[in-house]
Amino acid sequence: SLEGSSPGPLERPPSTADRCTGSVLPTRISLHVLTFELKTSKLSSAMIVLRFPIPFSLRKFSNRLSASTDVVVCGGGLAGSSVAYHLARRGKRISLIEKHSIGGAGATAKCGGLVSSPLIWDHSACELMARKSLNLYEHLADIKGFEYVKCGKLYVTTCERGQSNIERLLSKGKVVGGVEKVDQMSDLAALMPVLNVKDIKGALYSTEDVYLDTIALCQELAAEAVLAGARISEGVTVTEVLLGHDRQVYAVDTTEGLIETPVFVDAAGIWSGHISVKTLPHGKVQLASFPAIYQNLVCDRLPSASIISTDQPIVYDMDRNVVIHAGSNRTLIVGFNEESMRAASKKDEKWMETGHDWDLFHGSLGDSMARIPMIGNMRVGELSNRLEAYTPDGACTMGESSQAKGYFVAGGFCGQGLSLAGGLGEVLSDWIVDGYPSIDVSRIDVARFLELHANQQYLSERIPEVASLTYRNTKSGHQFHSARNLRMSPIYHQLKAAGAVFGETMGYERPLWFESKGPEKSVYSASERGHVGKAPWFNHVEKEYAACRERVGLIDMSSFTKFEISGPDAVSHLQYLCSADIDRPIGTTVFTGMQNESGGYVSDCTLSRLGDESFFMVAPTIQQDRVFNWMTKWAHKMKAKVHIQDVTAAYTALDVVGPLSRHLLSDLTDQSVSSTSFPSFRCKEINIGMATGIRAISVSHCGELGWVLYIPNEQAQNVYERIVEAGREYSLQHAGYYTLRHLRIEKFYVYWGQDIDATVTPVECGRSFRVHLQKDFIGKGAIERQMEGGIYKRFVHALIDEFDPSRDPSPIGGEWIYRDGVVVGHVTSSAFGFTLGSQVCIAVVQKSDGISMPFLTTGKWHIEIAGRQYDIRISPHSPSLPMESSEQPNHYRPTQ
C-alpha cells in the first residue's frame, strides 16, 4: 500500500495515532525505523509488532495563502501551533506559515519528549503556563491517542545543599501537589530498580512529569487549529514583515505572496529575530535569544528488559546535572555540564550545526553510568546535537516588541519549550485579542531586555552557562559569571578596589556587598539565596547595615532606570499615568505607582519636578524598556506633546544613607541642606567641590535619612573621591545592594519585581495613602471598588522570632504561610532584620471572602521553610524601629 507514494519533505516518524489497523494512507514519504501495530479480524486477540525502515505519511496541510488575515504566525513548531490553535479558538482568522513541515524541523522535531512538572518554576506565570500545557497535552492525547506516559521524575542528590533543595520542593508540593518524598532506599529501588543508590542522601519523586510523542502532539495541535478555522501553509517561507505608519505591522511577505495583517507572531525558534524588517535600524527586530548546542545520546533499552517499562520515571541527578530516561524502547541521556555546552555559530545568516563530539559528552556519559551502571553494558548509541534558543536570564520570551507595533514574540524557551509552549500559546493569544496579558508576565516579557542584550557576542558568551541551568531549580538565585562587565558605572574600579563583590542585573555591575580586605575576584558566581546557615556575605552585610543605621553608608545605585520627561503636556500625561498627585511645586519629589486598568503596578517610581514642564523619573533597574514603552504608548493614545528621554547611562547614582548623612552632605556643598531648607522628598541641584549639575534627591529608598546624588558621569569620579574623603570623619562605610534589601524589608518596603507586580494594587500592599482619588488616572475605578468593597489579598510583615541564622535554612520567597494549619499565603521576599533580631518576611495572604483585621490579628500562624516549621508574628503595618536620626518620624513614613 506504500509503493505508490511519492517523495516529499523530510517528515517525522509516526505517532501512536498514525499507527493503523489494517491500512496505511500515505501522502508523503520519509524513511524511519518504525513500530507498526497491525491488527486484523482473524487476530483480534493478538498483536504483530514489526520494526523495519518504512515510508511514512503525514497529514498534508494546504499551501494556499489568504490575501488578508487577522494574525500571521511564523513557525510550525509546538509554540507556533499552540498560538495558532488558541487564537483560532478565540475566533481570529489565522495563517500559520511553516517553511518545512508542521513539527518536522527545529527543536520540536528533535525534542526528547520530556515535559517538566509545574513544580520547578518559581514564577507564577511559568508555573501557570506549565500547568495549562499539561492539561492541554493530556486532553489531546485522550482524544487523539498519541503516546503520552505520565512517568514522573526522580530527583536524587548526594549532598546537603541538594537535600535542602529537595525539602524546599517538598514544602511547595504539599500545597500544589504532584510530589512525594522518597525516604527508604527500598522505595527508591522500587521506583527505579537499576539505580545506583549507595551514595544518595536525598530523593524526591515528582509525579506529574510526562514523556510524550512531541511531533504527534504538534501535528494534532495544528490539526485542531485547522478545525477551528486556521489556515496552515507548509513549504512557505516568510521573507519580510512590512511596517507602516508609526512602525505598525500591516503585511507579511512570503515566497507565495503577500498577506495583509496587523499582527505578526514570530515563533520561529532559533530563527526568531532573523526575519527581515527592512524599515528598522538593524533590518530586523532585535531579540535577546541565541541558540545553544548540546548533545544527547539515544541508546537501546536497558539490558534488563524485564524491569524496565514505559512508565519508568525520568531520573535527574541534581549534583551531576544529568537527565536519564530509560523507556521501553530506548534510553535517553542528556548532560548539562557547562563545559560541554556551545553557542551556535552563524554563516551567511544561517546557523551552523557542527558534528557531534564524544570528547565533550564523555563527562555526562560517565555521570550517567555512575548513576545507572547498567548503561555501561549497552551498545554505543546515537549521539546527536540539539539546538535550543536561550535567553540571557534563562526565562522564555513572549509579548509585543517595543521596536514594532503588532510584532509579537513567542520563543527563547531555554530548553523547556515542550513544558511551556501549550500554555504560552493561550496566554499570548489572550494578550493579542484583549490587548493586554491576563496574568503578570514581567518575568518573561520581551520588554525586560534592551537592544544591547541582543548583541551576538554578548549572547554567545552567556548562553552556554544559561544552557547548563536548564534543569536547575530556578530558585537558586544564580549569579552569572559569563558575559560580565557589559555596563559599569564610572567608579566601578574604585568600588572594586574598596572590596566590592559585584552582581549583575540587566547587564549592569552593581556591588552586592563589600569585603574588608578586598576580594580576589569581582564576580560572585554562586547562589545568592537558599543557604542553610549563614551565607558567605552575612557578616559583611551586618556591618554595612550597622553603618547605614548608626553612621553613614554609601551605596552605588547607578543601575536604576532614569528618565527625563518634558513638554507642554508633561503634567497632564503623568497625572493620568500616575496614581499619586504629581502636580506639585518645583523641587518636590513624589513616590508614585503607575497603575494598569486593573489597578496593578506597571511601575513603582519616584518623580521629581524640575520645572513647570519637566520631570526626572527613577524606576527599578529591570523596567528600563517596559516603562518607556508604557509612557510612549499612552503619549501616542493621548496625542500628548511630551518628550521622554532615557538618561539611565548619563548619571552615576550614589545613595548617602544614615543619621549622619545630612552632616556629611553639608560638609560637601556650600548650599544649605538643613531640615527646613532640604527636607525629605525634595529635589535640588547642588555643587560638590568643583562639580556642578548634581541632582540631589532626599529619598534613600530604604527608610533611613539619606540622599541619592545623581552625578553627571564625567564628574562622578571626582565627586566620589570627595565623598569618601569627607566621610572618614563620620566613619563612612561602603555598602552593597544586599544591605539596601535588608533595610527596606525590615521596614516593610515592598519592591516592584520582587513583591508587587501587575496583579497587585496600592490598596493590597498598604500604599493607598499615596493614591490621589481627586483626579482621573488609569486604574482609578478598580482602586475605588477595592476601597469600597474590601480586598481579598493583602501584604503583611512576618517575623520569625525563633529563627537562628547560623543554622536554619533561609527563606528565598515562595514559602507557604499557614493560619491554623491552613495555607493562606506565601513569602515574596525575606531578609534578616538586624535591629529586630529576627528573620523578616514580606508576604501576601489571601482570603476568598475578604481580608479583615480580626483575621490578621487572631489565629496561630506559621511558615514552612525547607521542611521545617516556624511560628511567625503577622502585622499589616511597618514595625516601630528605633531611629538614630533626631528627625524621625518626619523622614520615615511607615507603610499604612
Side-chain angles (χ1 to χ4, degrees):
S1 59
L2 296 172
E3 292 176 356
S5 303
S6 58
L10 178 65
E11 295 296 344
R12 64 170 175 86
S15 66
T16 306
D18 297 308
R19 296 169 188 167
C20 50
T21 55
S23 64
V24 179
L25 302 176
T27 57
R28 302 189 190 184
I29 245 179
S30 180
L31 293 181
H32 292 277
V33 176
L34 311 179
T35 300
F36 273 69
E37 298 171 358
L38 306 179
K39 294 183 180 180
T40 69
S41 58
K42 294 181 180 180
L43 296 172
S44 57
S45 62
M47 180 178 293
I48 303 173
V49 179
L50 307 176
R51 287 181 57 83
F52 53 89
I54 186 169
F56 161 70
S57 70
L58 274 180
R59 180 183 287 108
K60 182 177 175 65
F61 295 101
S62 170
N63 286 336
R64 292 178 299 163
L65 300 180
S66 299
S68 65
T69 190
D70 295 329
V71 184
V72 171
V73 180
C74 177
L78 195 54
S81 299
S82 176
V83 173
Y85 166 79
H86 286 100
L87 282 170
R89 285 171 60 88
R90 292 212 57 181
K92 290 295 181 180
R93 295 179 301 135
I94 306 301
S95 289
L96 174 59
I97 310 297
E98 167 55 44
K99 65 180 179 181
H100 297 298
S101 59
I102 299 299
T108 299
K110 294 186 177 181
C111 181
L114 309 184
V115 186
S116 295
S117 161
L119 180 73
I120 69 168
W121 277 276
D122 66 322
H123 191 271
S124 59
C126 292
E127 185 177 343
L128 176 64
M129 291 192 302
R131 172 63 60 196
K132 288 178 177 291
S133 295
L134 275 179
N135 293 341
L136 174 62
Y137 302 163
E138 186 173 16
H139 168 70
L140 288 174
D142 285 342
I143 62 175
K144 298 295 183 179
F146 57 81
E147 188 171 14
Y148 181 97
V149 182
K150 200 169 184 178
C151 56
K153 182 187 293 176
L154 195 58
Y155 292 79
V156 297
T157 183
T158 62
C159 66
E160 182 180 348
R161 181 58 184 264
Q163 286 179 282
S164 178
N165 287 334
I166 282 178
E167 292 294 341
R168 292 179 189 277
L169 288 173
L170 283 166
S171 293
K172 180 179 180 179
K174 285 182 180 179
V175 177
V176 302
V179 62
E180 298 175 6
K181 187 174 182 179
V182 184
D183 289 318
Q184 304 296 327
M185 290 302 105
S186 57
D187 296 334
L188 194 59
L191 280 168
M192 190 66 180
V194 296
L195 206 65
N196 173 20
V197 300
K198 293 180 180 179
D199 58 344
I200 292 178
K201 293 184 178 180
L204 173 148
Y205 179 51
S206 170
T207 62
E208 294 189 297
D209 291 71
V210 167
Y211 166 69
L212 55 74
D213 184 338
T214 311
I215 303 172
L217 166 65
C218 186
Q219 285 265 310
E220 301 299 353
L221 198 56
E224 290 296 302
V226 171
L227 290 176
R231 183 184 293 273
I232 298 180
S233 300
E234 296 178 310
V236 180
T237 301
V238 173
T239 56
E240 183 181 358
V241 178
L242 289 82
L243 307 183
H245 175 68
D246 206 21
R247 292 187 176 181
Q248 170 67 52
V249 172
Y250 75 86
V252 173
D253 201 5
T254 76
T255 52
E256 297 294 326
L258 194 73
I259 309 174
E260 292 184 2
T261 182
V263 177
F264 175 73
V265 178
D266 186 347
I270 62 174
W271 297 277
S272 288
H274 292 269
I275 299 166
S276 175
V277 189
K278 292 179 181 177
T279 53
L280 292 181
H282 298 280
K284 58 186 178 183
V285 167
Q286 295 283 92
L287 294 181
S289 67
F290 201 85
I293 302 174
Y294 60 92
Q295 301 181 109
N296 60 19
L297 179 65
V298 178
C299 306
D300 290 337
R301 64 185 297 174
L302 290 179
S304 184
S306 60
I307 57 174
I308 298 297
S309 61
T310 56
D311 59 354
Q312 206 70 37
I314 303 160
V315 176
Y316 176 46
D317 190 315
M318 302 168 66
D319 310 318
R320 295 181 170 94
N321 206 11
V322 63
V323 177
I324 309 166
H325 181 227
S328 58
N329 294 318
R330 62 97 172 97
T331 302
L332 173 68
I333 302 169
V334 191
F336 293 94
N337 295 319
E338 185 178 347
E339 296 75 16
S340 65
M341 300 293 171
R342 293 163 290 165
S345 58
K346 192 166 60 172
K347 182 179 181 181
D348 299 328
E349 292 302 314
K350 294 182 179 180
W351 296 115
M352 306 298 293
E353 186 174 347
T354 58
H356 60 261
D357 190 333
W358 282 101
D359 289 335
L360 288 176
F361 192 75
H362 81 278
S364 296
L365 181 59
D367 289 338
S368 67
M369 288 190 292
R371 184 52 57 215
I372 302 181
M374 192 178 292
I375 291 175
N377 300 327
M378 298 170 63
R379 291 188 307 165
V380 175
E382 180 184 358
L383 183 65
S384 59
N385 291 334
R386 287 184 59 187
L387 272 74
E388 295 268 9
Y390 283 82
T391 63
D393 61 0
C396 67
T397 297
M398 66 172 293
E400 187 175 16
S401 170
S402 61
Q403 301 160 57
K405 295 179 181 178
Y407 192 115
F408 285 80
V409 177
F413 287 104
C414 301
Q416 293 286 0
L418 179 56
S419 303
L420 297 174
L424 182 141
E426 180 179 342
V427 173
L428 188 63
S429 67
D430 290 344
W431 190 340
I432 292 171
V433 175
D434 301 329
Y436 54 89
S438 56
I439 62 174
D440 173 51
V441 295
S442 56
R443 178 74 174 83
I444 56 178
D445 191 352
V446 67
R448 74 187 187 274
F449 293 121
L450 305 174
E451 285 193 39
L452 63 89
H453 294 118
N455 177 277
Q456 300 286 290
Q457 184 63 39
Y458 168 78
L459 289 168
S460 63
E461 291 183 17
R462 168 61 60 85
I463 292 311
E465 182 182 1
V466 180
S468 71
L469 304 174
T470 299
Y471 276 84
R472 295 287 192 199
N473 189 334
T474 52
K475 273 293 185 185
S476 64
H478 183 82
Q479 279 288 338
F480 293 99
H481 62 77
S482 58
R484 295 296 294 263
N485 297 339
L486 175 61
R487 307 172 76 188
M488 297 179 288
S489 72
I491 58 171
Y492 170 83
H493 292 288
Q494 284 92 333
L495 295 173
K496 181 179 178 180
V501 178
F502 290 92
E504 177 259 342
T505 180
M506 287 289 287
Y508 239 114
E509 299 293 328
R510 65 181 180 189
L512 301 180
W513 76 88
F514 286 76
E515 296 186 353
S516 55
K517 295 181 180 180
E520 296 179 359
K521 58 182 180 181
S522 60
V523 175
Y524 182 57
S525 59
S527 169
E528 65 163 271
R529 301 179 297 175
H531 292 275
V532 176
K534 290 184 178 180
W537 41 262
F538 187 91
N539 293 334
H540 299 290
V541 170
E542 185 175 15
K543 294 176 183 177
E544 296 169 20
Y545 171 96
C548 293
R549 290 277 289 145
E550 300 168 6
R551 305 186 308 277
V552 62
L554 184 64
I555 305 174
D556 179 20
M557 295 178 59
S558 301
S559 67
F560 275 51
T561 296
K562 300 172 276 290
F563 294 103
E564 289 179 353
I565 306 159
S566 59
D569 296 330
V571 174
S572 59
H573 177 243
L574 290 173
Q575 278 285 59
Y576 187 62
L577 264 62
C578 298
S579 54
D581 181 15
I582 61 90
D583 191 7
R584 306 293 296 279
I586 295 172
T588 301
T589 296
V590 177
F591 250 129
T592 182
M594 284 188 177
Q595 268 49 62
N596 57 29
E597 292 83 350
S598 302
Y601 280 91
V602 174
S603 179
D604 183 38
C605 58
T606 61
L607 273 170
S608 300
R609 192 162 190 176
L610 305 179
D612 290 334
E613 299 178 348
S614 61
F615 293 82
F616 181 64
M617 176 180 171
V618 179
T621 303
I622 59 176
Q623 289 197 319
Q624 189 169 348
D625 198 38
R626 174 192 298 272
V627 176
F628 181 81
N629 295 340
W630 182 257
M631 290 191 291
T632 53
K633 169 187 172 181
W634 281 98
H636 179 75
K637 281 188 175 183
M638 298 168 64
K639 297 182 180 178
K641 296 178 181 178
V642 60
H643 177 67
I644 304 167
Q645 183 177 2
D646 187 339
V647 294
T648 300
Y651 291 93
T652 297
L654 295 178
D655 197 1
V656 183
V657 181
L660 302 181
S661 57
R662 192 181 296 278
H663 298 286
L664 173 58
L665 201 58
S666 64
D667 291 348
L668 290 168
T669 181
D670 55 4
Q671 292 153 281
S672 175
V673 294
S674 68
S675 58
T676 54
S677 62
F678 205 161
S680 296
F681 293 99
R682 296 294 188 272
C683 175
K684 282 187 178 183
E685 191 169 287
I686 66 172
N687 302 330
I688 292 181
M690 299 181 290
T692 59
I694 299 169
R695 290 175 184 166
I697 301 178
S698 52
V699 174
S700 67
H701 296 278
C702 61
E704 302 292 330
L705 180 66
W707 283 260
V708 183
L709 308 177
Y710 296 92
I711 311 160
N713 279 343
E714 65 270 19
Q715 302 174 95
Q717 293 191 33
N718 184 281
V719 174
Y720 167 79
E721 290 168 0
R722 288 180 180 270
I723 293 173
V724 172
E725 181 61 32
R728 298 184 193 280
E729 180 180 347
Y730 304 99
S731 299
L732 177 144
Q733 184 162 338
H734 288 85
Y737 178 76
Y738 286 176
T739 295
L740 190 71
R741 186 171 70 186
H742 280 249
L743 288 165
R744 67 97 179 164
I745 289 176
E746 189 172 36
K747 295 184 185 67
F748 196 7
Y749 277 27
V750 294
Y751 190 75
W752 194 94
Q754 295 180 24
D755 305 299
I756 60 176
D757 54 35
T759 67
V760 176
T761 71
V763 185
E764 294 165 343
C765 65
R767 290 184 173 182
S768 56
F769 69 92
R770 290 181 180 158
V771 177
H772 188 65
L773 292 174
Q774 289 69 47
K775 63 163 187 168
D776 189 24
F777 61 90
I778 301 171
K780 177 182 177 181
I783 292 175
E784 285 181 324
R785 286 190 292 272
Q786 284 192 333
M787 288 183 171
E788 294 170 2
I791 54 177
Y792 303 94
K793 67 179 178 182
R794 179 164 182 163
F795 279 79
V796 295
H797 210 226
L799 304 184
I800 313 176
D801 292 322
E802 300 303 319
F803 186 89
D804 185 346
S806 64
R807 59 176 174 79
D808 289 334
S810 59
I812 58 178
E815 289 81 9
W816 298 116
I817 300 290
Y818 293 79
R819 181 183 183 272
D820 295 334
V822 178
V823 172
V824 294
H826 66 273
V827 173
T828 57
S829 60
S830 181
F832 191 78
F834 293 106
T835 299
L836 294 172
S838 65
Q839 187 73 21
V840 182
C841 299
I842 295 177
V844 59
V845 297
Q846 303 184 56
K847 192 168 183 284
S848 60
D849 58 351
I851 300 289
S852 64
M853 287 304 296
F855 173 77
L856 296 176
T857 55
T858 61
K860 182 175 177 58
W861 295 75
H862 79 267
I863 184 176
E864 182 167 323
I865 309 170
R868 306 183 195 181
Q869 295 186 359
Y870 302 85
D871 291 337
I872 56 176
R873 288 185 289 139
I874 294 291
S875 172
H877 304 296
S878 297
S880 297
L881 297 177
M883 305 289 285
E884 293 291 333
S885 170
S886 60
E887 297 175 29
Q888 191 227 0
N890 292 335
H891 74 280
Y892 168 55
R893 190 176 190 183
T895 300
Q896 298 181 4

